[in-house]
Amino acid sequence: MRGRLVESRGVARSAVAGLALGLLALAVLAWWGAASTQQATAQVRAMNDVSGGWQQLYDRILSVDDALGDYQRAGSDIGRQPLVSAVSAAADRLDWLSRHADPDEAAEVTDIQQTFGGYARTLQTLYETGRRGEWDKVPVLVEQAALSSAALHKQIAADMERRRLATADLLDQVDRSVQRLRAAAPVTLAVDSVLLLACALVVLGYQRRVEGQASSNRQQALHDSLTGLANRVLLADRTERAVDQRRDGSVTLLLIDLDRFKEVNDTLGHHAGDVLLREVAARLVRAVREGDTVARLGGDEFAVLMPGGAATESQAVAERVLALVREPVQIDGLSVEVSASVGVAVHPLDSGDAAELLQHADIAMYAAKRGQAGVVRYDPALNEHSRRQLTLLGELRQAIGRGELLLHYQPKVRGAAAEIYGVEALVRWQHAEHGLLGPGEFIPLAERTDVMEPLTWHVLDTAMDECRRWQQADLRLPVAVNIATRCLLSPSFPEDLAALLTRHGVAAELLTLEVTETSLISDPPRTAQVLRSLRRLGVRLSLDDFGTGYSSMSYLRELPLDELKIDRSFVANLRSSPSDAAIVRAVTELGSSLGLDVVAEGVEDAETWTTLIGLGCVRGQGYHFAKPMPAAALADWLAGRPGAIALPAAGRPVGDAPPEGAVAMVEAV
């Protein structure tokens, strides 16, 4: 009995010793696992911090590129400060990286600093050249800057890729450490199953957190946080791989920029804009093959990379993508329509490498946006067009001062007898080299820069001067002028306009100002305040291109308007499109019920005019009646049609029509 007790005590002592050894082994195992995992995690975090610094440097180089584009379009000191600030921010981030990067990256950082220094010096030379007015040298400097920028992007992307691979290797080491923990766990569990099981669960939980954090780091570094799509870094990497690994077929890149996205953000709020971006992202994913890459590059710009396809299929794919984007999106019960501009570039037909493929797709996309063409395939001629646009922008500033901008006038009529209702004045540019340029050649350039405001004031001044001349010839011809958004956002605009009218001796009721919905939504409260001040001044207000926006009804209810102009897109297919005819009829009836004049633009033939009259729209203009003509030719043209002209008497509001005939009107665009 005693022997058995002693034996039991020995077993107990052995069990206690075994338990103690098990606990000690568990403690050692836990300490080793925690220490090794913590060390690896700290290394991952440190590498992520530096990787974030490289990503910020990449983004700030992109900001320098954007600021350079803004400065080129502005062509003045106005755009210099944002460019200087962007360069300074990029330099600060590069200096931070030089202090925090790993010692083995010193050579790469030095190379990038040298490339960035050359880029900054090129930008400084570009600015000095523009300030001296030597615009013929600007394109060469722009190309030099683009080459330096592309080199920086490539160097930084390469370093980021190396860091990504290093991080992946480190995470693999963590995974191997965890595997060793798993192998040791069963031995320890045999000694003390309950305690070791609990500890093992803790270790496994910690392992999952480390693995989850590593996965999250990968996702954040290479994907867009809003849509979950690939970001610019991942797209560039996959584009380079697709080009390098291409064996058969081609590599197609689509760059997609949404049109009128800013209107959604400004009118409905950023939440609605985010909903729209996520919906567009989902549609793009559905439109492509499984192996294709859909990316969001930032803002409202997306990209689709399609490796291994046929070059002949690129146009059809781009058209399919555009059709999907154009479908209405339901946001908070409102059906919102947007469109897009798509640029297409194909390797190896349109580019020699990945960087050039991205650049050429971007050029094609901006060409599509300028021409409102929907889809544009890259063509080398687009580079020359961009250079010409830059040159024209610089010359436009000088053209205003030299008096090279002219006004041509197009008659407007009213009624079945086509009585002369007025004339519309269209701005032209008598260019010394290119001849007479229409507004489509230079107005879009002016709208993107600060040139549009002085151009608008030049047109106002010229139109008021012509109105004064007509008054001296006993012709009371009211004048309408299309007003730039910058003017409507200026609180002093009504006061400055009153001074202009006084200087020319023209009554306010003889002036009509035309605005577009795009102008109205830029800053609705401020714009509404300026329009009310203009109305109190006595001028008339007209809403141009009515029907092309999705929020027009609110403008009719809240703004002091006198006239609606039906956009020519509804008039062009009036006889063949029942829906367009229904829209014209509805707008005409709506305008009449609100006491507004309704004018149809783009009347090109007698049949369209007859159809318009049948729909109740009795005011119109277009080539069917007469083409635009200079002021002198207009006077002769009016003199040959005395029976078809009826002018308003002094003191009668311009909107009131006389018993017979119509008010003659001049509208400057």
Side-chain angles (χ1 to χ4, degrees):
M1 183 72 178
R2 186 174 179 180
R4 290 181 179 178
L5 181 59
V6 172
E7 183 179 358
S8 298
R9 289 177 178 176
V11 172
R13 292 190 187 99
S14 299
V16 171
L19 179 60
L21 290 174
L23 292 175
L24 179 60
L26 178 62
V28 171
L29 180 65
W31 174 83
W32 173 76
S36 60
T37 306
Q38 183 176 10
Q39 180 182 7
T41 302
Q43 292 176 339
V44 170
R45 289 176 178 172
M47 294 183 70
N48 280 341
D49 289 340
V50 177
S51 296
W54 284 110
Q55 178 65 50
Q56 292 175 9
L57 175 61
Y58 190 93
D59 292 340
R60 291 181 182 181
I61 294 297
L62 292 177
S63 298
V64 174
D65 294 342
D66 292 340
L68 174 58
D70 293 339
Y71 171 69
Q72 294 172 23
R73 289 188 291 271
S76 68
D77 284 343
I78 295 178
R80 178 176 181 265
Q81 187 55 45
L83 179 58
V84 172
S85 298
V87 172
S88 177
D92 291 343
R93 182 47 48 181
L94 184 56
D95 180 67
W96 184 90
L97 285 171
S98 68
R99 298 193 305 270
H100 293 82
D102 295 336
D104 56 357
E105 294 181 325
E108 287 82 358
V109 174
T110 301
D111 291 342
I112 292 176
Q113 286 177 323
Q114 292 176 351
T115 304
F116 181 80
Y119 184 35
R121 289 191 294 273
T122 301
L123 295 179
Q124 179 64 26
T125 304
L126 174 64
Y127 164 70
E128 295 294 338
T129 302
R131 189 170 61 179
R132 293 194 300 268
E134 298 174 356
W135 296 104
D136 56 327
K137 299 179 181 179
V138 166
V140 175
L141 294 173
V142 170
E143 291 181 357
Q144 293 177 0
L147 291 175
S148 298
S149 175
L152 280 171
H153 291 164
K154 188 171 184 179
Q155 288 176 295
I156 297 171
D159 190 272
M160 292 172 66
E161 175 61 15
R162 286 194 296 271
R163 296 196 67 83
R164 184 185 68 80
L165 294 175
T167 302
D169 291 340
L170 187 58
L171 291 174
D172 289 340
Q173 295 177 17
V174 174
D175 291 340
R176 288 193 295 271
S177 298
V178 172
Q179 293 301 325
R180 287 192 291 270
L181 286 173
R182 287 176 174 173
V187 178
T188 310
L189 287 173
V191 178
D192 195 337
S193 60
V194 176
L195 292 177
L196 293 182
L197 177 61
C199 293
L201 291 176
V202 172
V203 172
L204 291 176
Y206 187 73
Q207 171 205 348
R208 293 190 185 96
R209 289 195 296 272
V210 172
E211 292 174 344
Q213 183 62 43
S215 176
S216 176
N217 289 342
R218 293 191 191 100
Q219 180 72 17
Q220 293 176 5
L222 300 175
H223 293 80
D224 174 56
S225 59
L226 177 64
T227 63
L229 299 178
N231 62 12
R232 186 183 294 272
V233 175
L234 184 56
L235 175 70
D237 176 69
R238 290 185 177 177
T239 302
E240 187 168 354
R241 291 186 181 183
V243 170
D244 292 342
Q245 299 172 3
R246 185 187 69 86
R247 296 295 180 266
D248 299 317
S250 60
V251 178
T252 299
L253 182 64
L254 310 181
L255 281 189
I256 305 146
D257 189 84
L258 301 184
D259 300 329
R260 300 176 60 203
F261 174 74
K262 185 176 184 298
E263 298 181 19
V264 176
N265 258 351
D266 293 344
T267 305
L268 303 180
H270 290 283
H271 166 72
D274 291 345
V275 172
L276 177 60
L277 291 175
R278 284 193 290 266
E279 175 61 24
V280 169
R283 293 180 181 182
L284 293 178
V285 171
R286 293 197 301 268
V288 301
R289 303 167 303 180
E290 183 177 353
D292 298 337
T293 297
V294 180
R296 181 186 176 215
L297 305 185
D300 59 351
E301 191 173 5
F302 295 83
V304 176
L305 176 67
M306 299 178 294
T312 54
E313 299 175 355
S314 60
Q315 186 73 19
V317 174
E319 295 288 354
R320 183 169 71 250
V321 167
L322 182 60
L324 281 174
V325 172
R326 284 176 171 173
E327 292 180 1
V329 179
Q330 298 297 322
I331 302 178
D332 296 334
L334 178 66
S335 180
V336 177
E337 294 185 5
V338 296
S339 186
S341 300
V342 183
V344 183
V346 180
H347 173 81
L349 300 179
D350 301 330
S351 69
D353 54 32
E356 196 172 53
L357 183 65
L358 288 164
Q359 178 186 5
H360 289 176
D362 192 61
I363 291 174
M365 184 271 289
Y366 277 106
K369 183 171 288 290
R370 284 195 306 268
Q372 299 181 350
V375 176
V376 169
R377 168 78 179 273
Y378 173 77
D379 188 286
L382 294 176
N383 285 334
E384 296 299 326
H385 178 75
S386 299
R387 293 189 182 97
R388 176 181 172 177
Q389 295 291 299
L390 181 61
T391 302
L392 283 179
L393 179 60
E395 294 175 342
L396 181 57
R397 300 176 184 276
Q398 303 174 12
I400 296 174
R402 291 197 297 256
E404 296 178 2
L405 299 183
L406 311 174
L407 295 182
H408 283 198
Y409 303 92
Q410 184 178 40
K412 301 168 69 175
V413 304
R414 188 181 72 175
E419 294 176 322
I420 299 171
Y421 167 62
V423 291
E424 176 180 4
L426 304 171
V427 66
R428 300 287 191 266
W429 181 3
Q430 189 62 55
H431 194 279
E433 179 181 353
H434 303 297
L436 191 64
L437 301 179
E441 291 279 348
F442 58 92
I443 290 296
L445 294 175
E447 287 177 337
R448 296 196 296 267
T449 67
D450 60 341
V451 177
M452 193 60 198
E453 187 171 4
L455 190 151
T456 301
W457 279 109
H458 175 79
V459 172
L460 273 168
D461 186 67
T462 303
M464 292 298 95
D465 184 67
E466 194 65 45
C467 186
R468 176 183 56 81
R469 296 175 185 273
W470 288 330
Q471 285 186 129
Q472 293 174 349
D474 296 328
L475 289 175
R476 285 179 54 82
L477 297 180
V479 181
V481 178
N482 194 302
I483 301 303
T485 302
R486 290 176 181 267
C487 294
L488 290 178
L489 295 178
S490 173
S492 64
F493 178 67
E495 181 180 351
D496 297 337
L497 181 62
L500 178 68
L501 292 170
T502 300
R503 186 170 71 251
H504 286 284
V506 176
E509 63 266 17
L510 296 180
L511 174 62
T512 297
L513 302 180
E514 287 199 4
V515 298
T516 62
E517 289 188 52
T518 303
S519 300
L520 298 178
I521 67 171
S522 297
D523 189 338
R526 187 191 305 182
T527 303
Q529 181 179 0
V530 172
L531 290 179
R532 293 187 183 97
S533 298
L534 292 170
R535 187 63 178 275
R536 288 193 295 269
L537 182 63
V539 301
R540 302 182 76 236
L541 300 175
S542 173
L543 182 59
D544 196 13
D545 300 332
F546 182 76
T548 57
Y550 59 84
S551 54
S552 303
M553 298 301 296
S554 63
Y555 302 143
L556 298 184
R557 183 181 68 247
E558 299 172 3
L559 299 178
L561 300 173
D562 299 283
E563 179 184 82
L564 299 180
K565 300 194 74 177
I566 302 177
D567 186 72
R568 63 178 62 248
S569 62
F570 299 107
V571 178
N573 302 315
L574 186 63
R575 292 183 290 119
S576 60
S577 173
S579 59
D580 285 351
I583 291 174
V584 171
R585 182 190 297 276
V587 172
T588 302
E589 293 177 352
L590 177 64
S592 299
S593 65
L594 295 175
L596 304 177
D597 295 336
V598 180
V599 182
E601 298 180 296
V603 182
E604 305 302 312
D605 53 63
E607 293 79 6
T608 299
W609 181 233
T610 301
T611 303
L612 282 167
I613 292 178
L615 295 174
C617 183
V618 297
R619 300 171 186 264
Q621 63 184 96
Y623 274 30
H624 170 57
F625 309 112
K627 294 183 179 181
M629 63 192 79
L634 172 66
D636 295 337
W637 192 85
L638 292 174
R641 299 170 59 90
I645 303 175
L647 303 179
R652 180 172 60 241
V654 174
D656 292 352
E660 298 181 8
V663 178
M665 178 181 296
V666 177
E667 180 180 314
V669 178

